[in-house]
Amino acid sequence: MNKSTQALIIVDVQNDFGPGGALPVPSGDEIVPVLNQYIRYAAGRHWLIVASRDWHPEKTHHFREFGGQWPRHCVHDTPGACFHPQLALPAETVIVSKGMNPDLDSCSAFHGMDERRTSLQDILVRAGVKIVYVGGLAAEYCVRATVLDAVERGFAVKLLVDAIRGVNRKPADAEAAQREMLRYGAQATTVTELSASR
Ligand SMILES: [Zn+2]
C-alpha cells in the first residue's frame, strides 16, 4: 500500500450537532454527502482518514449547568455522541476523541487522542502526513480551532469550504471564521476542484 502524505480530518459530524440534536448546526447534515465524496476520494488514494468527536463526561465545566457556555451535548457513549448515521467512515478510520477532561474546553481535534491515547499530532507525524484536508462542524468553533492549530503546527491545510457549516449565533460568524482561516494560511478547496486536479 502506498503511503500518502495527505490526511482527511472530519471534525465532529455527530448527531448532537445535526438537526434535532442538543446543539444543532443549521443544515449541518447537508455536508454529509459531500464528506462521503471526500472519503471515497481519500480512501481510493490511501490517505489517512481521521474523524474527531466531542466525547464529554456527564459533568464538565464545558456545559452550562456546570458553569460553561454550552448546553449538554455529546456525552460519551450516548446516541447524541455517535457519528451521523449516513457518514460513511471506512473501518480503518482513526477516531480521535476530545473533551474528556472536565476542566478543559477542548475544541480543536489536536486536543484529541485515539483509543491508545496517541495525540492527533503524533498520529499525523507517525503516518508521514504533511497536508491535511479539514471539514466538518462547526465552522467557527471546532473546525476553526483545528485548522488554526494545524497551520501553527506546520501542516499545509486545505479547508473543505463545501463541507463545513456554522452555528452563526451572530449572522455571518461562519463566514468571518472562514476568512480568518484562509488569512491564517489555509487554502480553500472543494470536492469538484479536488476531483478535477488529478
Ligand atoms: Zn463540546
Side-chain angles (χ1 to χ4, degrees):
M1 191 163 103
N2 294 332
K3 212 171 165 186
S4 171
T5 58
Q6 306 179 73
L8 174 63
I9 301 178
I10 299 169
V11 178
D12 299 10
V13 181
Q14 294 168 269
N15 289 329
D16 269 346
F17 298 126
L23 187 47
V25 179
S27 323
D29 56 337
E30 282 177 12
I31 65 171
V32 171
V34 186
L35 284 170
N36 286 341
Q37 287 180 264
Y38 280 110
I39 290 169
R40 272 197 298 278
Y41 183 94
R45 285 158 183 80
H46 308 296
W47 292 11
L48 181 71
I49 300 175
V50 176
S52 74
R53 63 181 180 188
D54 251 5
W55 201 243
H56 297 308
E58 297 259 351
K59 284 187 186 173
T60 163
H61 292 119
H62 187 62
F63 295 163
R64 207 174 276 151
E65 55 194 296
F66 305 106
Q69 62 163 324
W70 305 107
R72 179 189 169 90
H73 63 277
C74 298
V75 172
H76 69 87
D77 300 298
T78 61
C82 293
F83 292 115
H84 188 286
Q86 257 82 55
L87 187 67
L89 293 173
E92 63 273 22
T93 302
V94 177
I95 310 290
V96 163
S97 305
K98 63 192 174 68
M100 291 87 84
N101 184 330
D103 297 318
L104 289 178
D105 229 8
S106 303
C107 200
S108 165
F110 282 91
H111 295 159
M113 53 181 83
D114 68 7
E115 77 287 350
R116 293 188 191 133
R117 305 185 70 79
T118 307
S119 68
L120 175 57
Q121 170 82 15
D122 287 346
I123 292 166
L124 296 175
V125 169
R126 285 177 200 171
V129 170
K130 308 276 186 229
I131 308 170
V132 294
Y133 288 71
V134 184
L137 304 170
E140 70 272 51
Y141 298 106
C142 296
V143 170
R144 172 186 174 274
T146 302
V147 163
L148 299 191
D149 271 355
V151 172
E152 234 162 62
R153 289 157 190 249
F155 296 97
V157 182
K158 307 280 190 179
L159 177 64
L160 312 182
V161 293
D162 53 350
I164 56 174
R165 288 291 186 281
V167 180
N168 288 313
R169 279 178 153 185
K170 279 186 280 176
D173 271 359
E175 225 179 282
Q178 181 168 321
R179 277 198 306 276
E180 183 190 7
M181 291 185 268
L182 299 179
R183 225 172 26 237
Y184 207 72
Q187 282 183 307
T189 194
T190 62
V191 75
T192 315
E193 200 178 286
L194 189 65
S195 310
S197 66
R198 63 190 85 171

mmCIF file with all atom_site columns, all heavy atoms in Angstrom, residues 20-42:
data_model
loop_
_atom_site.group_PDB
_atom_site.id
_atom_site.type_symbol
_atom_site.label_atom_id
_atom_site.label_alt_id
_atom_site.label_comp_id
_atom_site.label_asym_id
_atom_site.label_entity_id
_atom_site.label_seq_id
_atom_site.pdbx_PDB_ins_code
_atom_site.Cartn_x
_atom_site.Cartn_y
_atom_site.Cartn_z
_atom_site.occupancy
_atom_site.B_iso_or_equiv
_atom_site.pdbx_formal_charge
_atom_site.auth_seq_id
_atom_site.auth_comp_id
_atom_site.auth_asym_id
_atom_site.auth_atom_id
_atom_site.pdbx_PDB_model_num
ATOM 1   N N   . GLY A 1 20 ? -32.043 18.665 15.103 1.00 0.00 ? 20 GLY A N   1
ATOM 2   C CA  . GLY A 1 20 ? -32.691 17.866 16.140 1.00 0.00 ? 20 GLY A CA  1
ATOM 3   C C   . GLY A 1 20 ? -31.765 17.468 17.278 1.00 0.00 ? 20 GLY A C   1
ATOM 4   O O   . GLY A 1 20 ? -32.201 16.894 18.264 1.00 0.00 ? 20 GLY A O   1
ATOM 5   N N   . GLY A 1 21 ? -30.489 17.769 17.146 1.00 0.00 ? 21 GLY A N   1
ATOM 6   C CA  . GLY A 1 21 ? -29.536 17.426 18.197 1.00 0.00 ? 21 GLY A CA  1
ATOM 7   C C   . GLY A 1 21 ? -29.545 18.453 19.323 1.00 0.00 ? 21 GLY A C   1
ATOM 8   O O   . GLY A 1 21 ? -30.276 19.450 19.271 1.00 0.00 ? 21 GLY A O   1
ATOM 9   N N   . ALA A 1 22 ? -28.713 18.215 20.312 1.00 0.00 ? 22 ALA A N   1
ATOM 10  C CA  . ALA A 1 22 ? -28.691 19.064 21.506 1.00 0.00 ? 22 ALA A CA  1
ATOM 11  C C   . ALA A 1 22 ? -28.104 20.441 21.201 1.00 0.00 ? 22 ALA A C   1
ATOM 12  O O   . ALA A 1 22 ? -28.433 21.438 21.843 1.00 0.00 ? 22 ALA A O   1
ATOM 13  C CB  . ALA A 1 22 ? -27.876 18.389 22.602 1.00 0.00 ? 22 ALA A CB  1
ATOM 14  N N   . LEU A 1 23 ? -27.225 20.501 20.222 1.00 0.00 ? 23 LEU A N   1
ATOM 15  C CA  . LEU A 1 23 ? -26.534 21.748 19.891 1.00 0.00 ? 23 LEU A CA  1
ATOM 16  C C   . LEU A 1 23 ? -26.448 21.828 18.365 1.00 0.00 ? 23 LEU A C   1
ATOM 17  O O   . LEU A 1 23 ? -25.387 21.715 17.773 1.00 0.00 ? 23 LEU A O   1
ATOM 18  C CB  . LEU A 1 23 ? -25.133 21.704 20.531 1.00 0.00 ? 23 LEU A CB  1
ATOM 19  C CG  . LEU A 1 23 ? -24.218 22.912 20.514 1.00 0.00 ? 23 LEU A CG  1
ATOM 20  C CD1 . LEU A 1 23 ? -24.959 24.164 20.921 1.00 0.00 ? 23 LEU A CD1 1
ATOM 21  C CD2 . LEU A 1 23 ? -23.051 22.672 21.455 1.00 0.00 ? 23 LEU A CD2 1
ATOM 22  N N   . PRO A 1 24 ? -27.613 21.992 17.737 1.00 0.00 ? 24 PRO A N   1
ATOM 23  C CA  . PRO A 1 24 ? -27.666 21.789 16.285 1.00 0.00 ? 24 PRO A CA  1
ATOM 24  C C   . PRO A 1 24 ? -26.974 22.895 15.475 1.00 0.00 ? 24 PRO A C   1
ATOM 25  O O   . PRO A 1 24 ? -27.078 24.071 15.788 1.00 0.00 ? 24 PRO A O   1
ATOM 26  C CB  . PRO A 1 24 ? -29.173 21.776 15.990 1.00 0.00 ? 24 PRO A CB  1
ATOM 27  C CG  . PRO A 1 24 ? -29.813 22.513 17.111 1.00 0.00 ? 24 PRO A CG  1
ATOM 28  C CD  . PRO A 1 24 ? -28.935 22.313 18.308 1.00 0.00 ? 24 PRO A CD  1
ATOM 29  N N   . VAL A 1 25 ? -26.284 22.473 14.461 1.00 0.00 ? 25 VAL A N   1
ATOM 30  C CA  . VAL A 1 25 ? -25.717 23.390 13.473 1.00 0.00 ? 25 VAL A CA  1
ATOM 31  C C   . VAL A 1 25 ? -26.720 23.411 12.320 1.00 0.00 ? 25 VAL A C   1
ATOM 32  O O   . VAL A 1 25 ? -26.980 22.362 11.735 1.00 0.00 ? 25 VAL A O   1
ATOM 33  C CB  . VAL A 1 25 ? -24.354 22.873 12.960 1.00 0.00 ? 25 VAL A CB  1
ATOM 34  C CG1 . VAL A 1 25 ? -23.777 23.827 11.918 1.00 0.00 ? 25 VAL A CG1 1
ATOM 35  C CG2 . VAL A 1 25 ? -23.387 22.661 14.123 1.00 0.00 ? 25 VAL A CG2 1
ATOM 36  N N   . PRO A 1 26 ? -27.299 24.584 12.001 1.00 0.00 ? 26 PRO A N   1
ATOM 37  C CA  . PRO A 1 26 ? -28.296 24.624 10.927 1.00 0.00 ? 26 PRO A CA  1
ATOM 38  C C   . PRO A 1 26 ? -27.737 24.016 9.641  1.00 0.00 ? 26 PRO A C   1
ATOM 39  O O   . PRO A 1 26 ? -26.616 24.323 9.253  1.00 0.00 ? 26 PRO A O   1
ATOM 40  C CB  . PRO A 1 26 ? -28.581 26.125 10.758 1.00 0.00 ? 26 PRO A CB  1
ATOM 41  C CG  . PRO A 1 26 ? -28.211 26.732 12.070 1.00 0.00 ? 26 PRO A CG  1
ATOM 42  C CD  . PRO A 1 26 ? -27.074 25.903 12.610 1.00 0.00 ? 26 PRO A CD  1
ATOM 43  N N   . SER A 1 27 ? -28.489 23.149 9.026  1.00 0.00 ? 27 SER A N   1
ATOM 44  C CA  . SER A 1 27 ? -28.081 22.440 7.795  1.00 0.00 ? 27 SER A CA  1
ATOM 45  C C   . SER A 1 27 ? -26.786 21.648 7.964  1.00 0.00 ? 27 SER A C   1
ATOM 46  O O   . SER A 1 27 ? -26.115 21.354 6.978  1.00 0.00 ? 27 SER A O   1
ATOM 47  C CB  . SER A 1 27 ? -27.891 23.401 6.610  1.00 0.00 ? 27 SER A CB  1
ATOM 48  O OG  . SER A 1 27 ? -28.838 24.431 6.624  1.00 0.00 ? 27 SER A OG  1
ATOM 49  N N   . GLY A 1 28 ? -26.449 21.314 9.177  1.00 0.00 ? 28 GLY A N   1
ATOM 50  C CA  . GLY A 1 28 ? -25.210 20.562 9.417  1.00 0.00 ? 28 GLY A CA  1
ATOM 51  C C   . GLY A 1 28 ? -25.179 19.232 8.696  1.00 0.00 ? 28 GLY A C   1
ATOM 52  O O   . GLY A 1 28 ? -24.117 18.756 8.293  1.00 0.00 ? 28 GLY A O   1
ATOM 53  N N   . ASP A 1 29 ? -26.366 18.651 8.487  1.00 0.00 ? 29 ASP A N   1
ATOM 54  C CA  . ASP A 1 29 ? -26.410 17.348 7.818  1.00 0.00 ? 29 ASP A CA  1
ATOM 55  C C   . ASP A 1 29 ? -26.178 17.448 6.311  1.00 0.00 ? 29 ASP A C   1
ATOM 56  O O   . ASP A 1 29 ? -25.875 16.454 5.667  1.00 0.00 ? 29 ASP A O   1
ATOM 57  C CB  . ASP A 1 29 ? -27.735 16.642 8.115  1.00 0.00 ? 29 ASP A CB  1
ATOM 58  C CG  . ASP A 1 29 ? -28.957 17.480 7.728  1.00 0.00 ? 29 ASP A CG  1
ATOM 59  O OD1 . ASP A 1 29 ? -28.838 18.719 7.642  1.00 0.00 ? 29 ASP A OD1 1
ATOM 60  O OD2 . ASP A 1 29 ? -30.027 16.895 7.495  1.00 0.00 ? 29 ASP A OD2 1
ATOM 61  N N   . GLU A 1 30 ? -26.288 18.660 5.756  1.00 0.00 ? 30 GLU A N   1
ATOM 62  C CA  . GLU A 1 30 ? -26.086 18.823 4.306  1.00 0.00 ? 30 GLU A CA  1
ATOM 63  C C   . GLU A 1 30 ? -24.664 18.468 3.868  1.00 0.00 ? 30 GLU A C   1
ATOM 64  O O   . GLU A 1 30 ? -24.439 18.165 2.703  1.00 0.00 ? 30 GLU A O   1
ATOM 65  C CB  . GLU A 1 30 ? -26.336 20.285 3.900  1.00 0.00 ? 30 GLU A CB  1
ATOM 66  C CG  . GLU A 1 30 ? -27.792 20.636 3.797  1.00 0.00 ? 30 GLU A CG  1
ATOM 67  C CD  . GLU A 1 30 ? -28.004 22.106 3.455  1.00 0.00 ? 30 GLU A CD  1
ATOM 68  O OE1 . GLU A 1 30 ? -27.022 22.810 3.083  1.00 0.00 ? 30 GLU A OE1 1
ATOM 69  O OE2 . GLU A 1 30 ? -29.144 22.553 3.568  1.00 0.00 ? 30 GLU A OE2 1
ATOM 70  N N   . ILE A 1 31 ? -23.731 18.545 4.781  1.00 0.00 ? 31 ILE A N   1
ATOM 71  C CA  . ILE A 1 31 ? -22.346 18.281 4.382  1.00 0.00 ? 31 ILE A CA  1
ATOM 72  C C   . ILE A 1 31 ? -22.030 16.793 4.324  1.00 0.00 ? 31 ILE A C   1
ATOM 73  O O   . ILE A 1 31 ? -21.002 16.409 3.779  1.00 0.00 ? 31 ILE A O   1
ATOM 74  C CB  . ILE A 1 31 ? -21.319 18.992 5.303  1.00 0.00 ? 31 ILE A CB  1
ATOM 75  C CG1 . ILE A 1 31 ? -21.385 18.439 6.727  1.00 0.00 ? 31 ILE A CG1 1
ATOM 76  C CG2 . ILE A 1 31 ? -21.526 20.505 5.280  1.00 0.00 ? 31 ILE A CG2 1
ATOM 77  C CD1 . ILE A 1 31 ? -20.260 18.938 7.618  1.00 0.00 ? 31 ILE A CD1 1
ATOM 78  N N   . VAL A 1 32 ? -22.921 15.957 4.860  1.00 0.00 ? 32 VAL A N   1
ATOM 79  C CA  . VAL A 1 32 ? -22.601 14.529 4.948  1.00 0.00 ? 32 VAL A CA  1
ATOM 80  C C   . VAL A 1 32 ? -22.353 13.898 3.573  1.00 0.00 ? 32 VAL A C   1
ATOM 81  O O   . VAL A 1 32 ? -21.324 13.236 3.373  1.00 0.00 ? 32 VAL A O   1
ATOM 82  C CB  . VAL A 1 32 ? -23.665 13.777 5.777  1.00 0.00 ? 32 VAL A CB  1
ATOM 83  C CG1 . VAL A 1 32 ? -23.478 12.270 5.688  1.00 0.00 ? 32 VAL A CG1 1
ATOM 84  C CG2 . VAL A 1 32 ? -23.620 14.251 7.230  1.00 0.00 ? 32 VAL A CG2 1
ATOM 85  N N   . PRO A 1 33 ? -23.258 14.106 2.579  1.00 0.00 ? 33 PRO A N   1
ATOM 86  C CA  . PRO A 1 33 ? -22.968 13.512 1.266  1.00 0.00 ? 33 PRO A CA  1
ATOM 87  C C   . PRO A 1 33 ? -21.685 14.061 0.623  1.00 0.00 ? 33 PRO A C   1
ATOM 88  O O   . PRO A 1 33 ? -20.984 13.327 -0.082 1.00 0.00 ? 33 PRO A O   1
ATOM 89  C CB  . PRO A 1 33 ? -24.198 13.870 0.411  1.00 0.00 ? 33 PRO A CB  1
ATOM 90  C CG  . PRO A 1 33 ? -25.110 14.667 1.259  1.00 0.00 ? 33 PRO A CG  1
ATOM 91  C CD  . PRO A 1 33 ? -24.571 14.739 2.643  1.00 0.00 ? 33 PRO A CD  1
ATOM 92  N N   . VAL A 1 34 ? -21.385 15.311 0.894  1.00 0.00 ? 34 VAL A N   1
ATOM 93  C CA  . VAL A 1 34 ? -20.151 15.896 0.345  1.00 0.00 ? 34 VAL A CA  1
ATOM 94  C C   . VAL A 1 34 ? -18.937 15.247 1.022  1.00 0.00 ? 34 VAL A C   1
ATOM 95  O O   . VAL A 1 34 ? -17.962 14.868 0.372  1.00 0.00 ? 34 VAL A O   1
ATOM 96  C CB  . VAL A 1 34 ? -20.123 17.431 0.539  1.00 0.00 ? 34 VAL A CB  1
ATOM 97  C CG1 . VAL A 1 34 ? -18.915 18.040 -0.158 1.00 0.00 ? 34 VAL A CG1 1
ATOM 98  C CG2 . VAL A 1 34 ? -21.419 18.060 0.047  1.00 0.00 ? 34 VAL A CG2 1
ATOM 99  N N   . LEU A 1 35 ? -19.026 15.113 2.333  1.00 0.00 ? 35 LEU A N   1
ATOM 100 C CA  . LEU A 1 35 ? -17.935 14.459 3.056  1.00 0.00 ? 35 LEU A CA  1
ATOM 101 C C   . LEU A 1 35 ? -17.750 13.022 2.577  1.00 0.00 ? 35 LEU A C   1
ATOM 102 O O   . LEU A 1 35 ? -16.623 12.536 2.477  1.00 0.00 ? 35 LEU A O   1
ATOM 103 C CB  . LEU A 1 35 ? -18.202 14.482 4.561  1.00 0.00 ? 35 LEU A CB  1
ATOM 104 C CG  . LEU A 1 35 ? -17.951 15.835 5.235  1.00 0.00 ? 35 LEU A CG  1
ATOM 105 C CD1 . LEU A 1 35 ? -18.481 15.827 6.668  1.00 0.00 ? 35 LEU A CD1 1
ATOM 106 C CD2 . LEU A 1 35 ? -16.470 16.210 5.214  1.00 0.00 ? 35 LEU A CD2 1
ATOM 107 N N   . ASN A 1 36 ? -18.845 12.370 2.247  1.00 0.00 ? 36 ASN A N   1
ATOM 108 C CA  . ASN A 1 36 ? -18.724 10.999 1.743  1.00 0.00 ? 36 ASN A CA  1
ATOM 109 C C   . ASN A 1 36 ? -17.971 10.953 0.415  1.00 0.00 ? 36 ASN A C   1
ATOM 110 O O   . ASN A 1 36 ? -17.241 10.006 0.153  1.00 0.00 ? 36 ASN A O   1
ATOM 111 C CB  . ASN A 1 36 ? -20.103 10.349 1.622  1.00 0.00 ? 36 ASN A CB  1
ATOM 112 C CG  . ASN A 1 36 ? -20.661 9.972  2.985  1.00 0.00 ? 36 ASN A CG  1
ATOM 113 O OD1 . ASN A 1 36 ? -19.915 9.857  3.968  1.00 0.00 ? 36 ASN A OD1 1
ATOM 114 N ND2 . ASN A 1 36 ? -21.971 9.785  3.053  1.00 0.00 ? 36 ASN A ND2 1
ATOM 115 N N   . GLN A 1 37 ? -18.124 11.998 -0.393 1.00 0.00 ? 37 GLN A N   1
ATOM 116 C CA  . GLN A 1 37 ? -17.328 12.064 -1.638 1.00 0.00 ? 37 GLN A CA  1
ATOM 117 C C   . GLN A 1 37 ? -15.844 12.233 -1.314 1.00 0.00 ? 37 GLN A C   1
ATOM 118 O O   . GLN A 1 37 ? -14.985 11.620 -1.932 1.00 0.00 ? 37 GLN A O   1
ATOM 119 C CB  . GLN A 1 37 ? -17.796 13.238 -2.499 1.00 0.00 ? 37 GLN A CB  1
ATOM 120 C CG  . GLN A 1 37 ? -19.131 13.008 -3.176 1.00 0.00 ? 37 GLN A CG  1
ATOM 121 C CD  . GLN A 1 37 ? -19.508 14.239 -4.007 1.00 0.00 ? 37 GLN A CD  1
ATOM 122 O OE1 . GLN A 1 37 ? -20.253 15.093 -3.540 1.00 0.00 ? 37 GLN A OE1 1
ATOM 123 N NE2 . GLN A 1 37 ? -18.995 14.326 -5.208 1.00 0.00 ? 37 GLN A NE2 1
ATOM 124 N N   . TYR A 1 38 ? -15.557 13.104 -0.350 1.00 0.00 ? 38 TYR A N   1
ATOM 125 C CA  . TYR A 1 38 ? -14.158 13.261 0.078  1.00 0.00 ? 38 TYR A CA  1
ATOM 126 C C   . TYR A 1 38 ? -13.599 11.945 0.628  1.00 0.00 ? 38 TYR A C   1
ATOM 127 O O   . TYR A 1 38 ? -12.449 11.583 0.382  1.00 0.00 ? 38 TYR A O   1
ATOM 128 C CB  . TYR A 1 38 ? -14.041 14.339 1.169  1.00 0.00 ? 38 TYR A CB  1
ATOM 129 C CG  . TYR A 1 38 ? -14.054 15.755 0.662  1.00 0.00 ? 38 TYR A CG  1
ATOM 130 C CD1 . TYR A 1 38 ? -15.140 16.586 0.909  1.00 0.00 ? 38 TYR A CD1 1
ATOM 131 C CD2 . TYR A 1 38 ? -12.970 16.289 -0.031 1.00 0.00 ? 38 TYR A CD2 1
ATOM 132 C CE1 . TYR A 1 38 ? -15.158 17.911 0.470  1.00 0.00 ? 38 TYR A CE1 1
ATOM 133 C CE2 . TYR A 1 38 ? -12.967 17.602 -0.477 1.00 0.00 ? 38 TYR A CE2 1
ATOM 134 C CZ  . TYR A 1 38 ? -14.067 18.409 -0.223 1.00 0.00 ? 38 TYR A CZ  1
ATOM 135 O OH  . TYR A 1 38 ? -14.073 19.709 -0.660 1.00 0.00 ? 38 TYR A OH  1
ATOM 136 N N   . ILE A 1 39 ? -14.434 11.236 1.389  1.00 0.00 ? 39 ILE A N   1
ATOM 137 C CA  . ILE A 1 39 ? -13.990 9.969  1.980  1.00 0.00 ? 39 ILE A CA  1
ATOM 138 C C   . ILE A 1 39 ? -13.640 8.969  0.874  1.00 0.00 ? 39 ILE A C   1
ATOM 139 O O   . ILE A 1 39 ? -12.595 8.321  0.921  1.00 0.00 ? 39 ILE A O   1
ATOM 140 C CB  . ILE A 1 39 ? -15.070 9.403  2.933  1.00 0.00 ? 39 ILE A CB  1
ATOM 141 C CG1 . ILE A 1 39 ? -15.176 10.270 4.195  1.00 0.00 ? 39 ILE A CG1 1
ATOM 142 C CG2 . ILE A 1 39 ? -14.754 7.949  3.303  1.00 0.00 ? 39 ILE A CG2 1
ATOM 143 C CD1 . ILE A 1 39 ? -16.386 9.964  5.080  1.00 0.00 ? 39 ILE A CD1 1
ATOM 144 N N   . ARG A 1 40 ? -14.514 8.887  -0.145 1.00 0.00 ? 40 ARG A N   1
ATOM 145 C CA  . ARG A 1 40 ? -14.236 7.955  -1.254 1.00 0.00 ? 40 ARG A CA  1
ATOM 146 C C   . ARG A 1 40 ? -12.943 8.328  -1.960 1.00 0.00 ? 40 ARG A C   1
ATOM 147 O O   . ARG A 1 40 ? -12.114 7.469  -2.267 1.00 0.00 ? 40 ARG A O   1
ATOM 148 C CB  . ARG A 1 40 ? -15.387 7.984  -2.269 1.00 0.00 ? 40 ARG A CB  1
ATOM 149 C CG  . ARG A 1 40 ? -16.499 6.999  -1.944 1.00 0.00 ? 40 ARG A CG  1
ATOM 150 C CD  . ARG A 1 40 ? -17.401 6.744  -3.152 1.00 0.00 ? 40 ARG A CD  1
ATOM 151 N NE  . ARG A 1 40 ? -18.077 7.960  -3.605 1.00 0.00 ? 40 ARG A NE  1
ATOM 152 C CZ  . ARG A 1 40 ? -19.189 8.437  -3.046 1.00 0.00 ? 40 ARG A CZ  1
ATOM 153 N NH1 . ARG A 1 40 ? -19.743 7.808  -2.028 1.00 0.00 ? 40 ARG A NH1 1
ATOM 154 N NH2 . ARG A 1 40 ? -19.762 9.535  -3.493 1.00 0.00 ? 40 ARG A NH2 1
ATOM 155 N N   . TYR A 1 41 ? -12.763 9.627  -2.180 1.00 0.00 ? 41 TYR A N   1
ATOM 156 C CA  . TYR A 1 41 ? -11.552 10.111 -2.848 1.00 0.00 ? 41 TYR A CA  1
ATOM 157 C C   . TYR A 1 41 ? -10.320 9.741  -2.011 1.00 0.00 ? 41 TYR A C   1
ATOM 158 O O   . TYR A 1 41 ? -9.332  9.213  -2.519 1.00 0.00 ? 41 TYR A O   1
ATOM 159 C CB  . TYR A 1 41 ? -11.656 11.635 -3.028 1.00 0.00 ? 41 TYR A CB  1
ATOM 160 C CG  . TYR A 1 41 ? -10.497 12.252 -3.771 1.00 0.00 ? 41 TYR A CG  1
ATOM 161 C CD1 . TYR A 1 41 ? -10.553 12.459 -5.144 1.00 0.00 ? 41 TYR A CD1 1
ATOM 162 C CD2 . TYR A 1 41 ? -9.339  12.627 -3.096 1.00 0.00 ? 41 TYR A CD2 1
ATOM 163 C CE1 . TYR A 1 41 ? -9.491  13.017 -5.826 1.00 0.00 ? 41 TYR A CE1 1
ATOM 164 C CE2 . TYR A 1 41 ? -8.262  13.189 -3.769 1.00 0.00 ? 41 TYR A CE2 1
ATOM 165 C CZ  . TYR A 1 41 ? -8.340  13.383 -5.138 1.00 0.00 ? 41 TYR A CZ  1
ATOM 166 O OH  . TYR A 1 41 ? -7.283  13.934 -5.809 1.00 0.00 ? 41 TYR A OH  1
ATOM 167 N N   . ALA A 1 42 ? -10.394 10.042 -0.718 1.00 0.00 ? 42 ALA A N   1
ATOM 168 C CA  . ALA A 1 42 ? -9.253  9.812  0.174  1.00 0.00 ? 42 ALA A CA  1
ATOM 169 C C   . ALA A 1 42 ? -8.944  8.323  0.318  1.00 0.00 ? 42 ALA A C   1
ATOM 170 O O   . ALA A 1 42 ? -7.779  7.907  0.256  1.00 0.00 ? 42 ALA A O   1
ATOM 171 C CB  . ALA A 1 42 ? -9.545  10.430 1.544  1.00 0.00 ? 42 ALA A CB  1
#
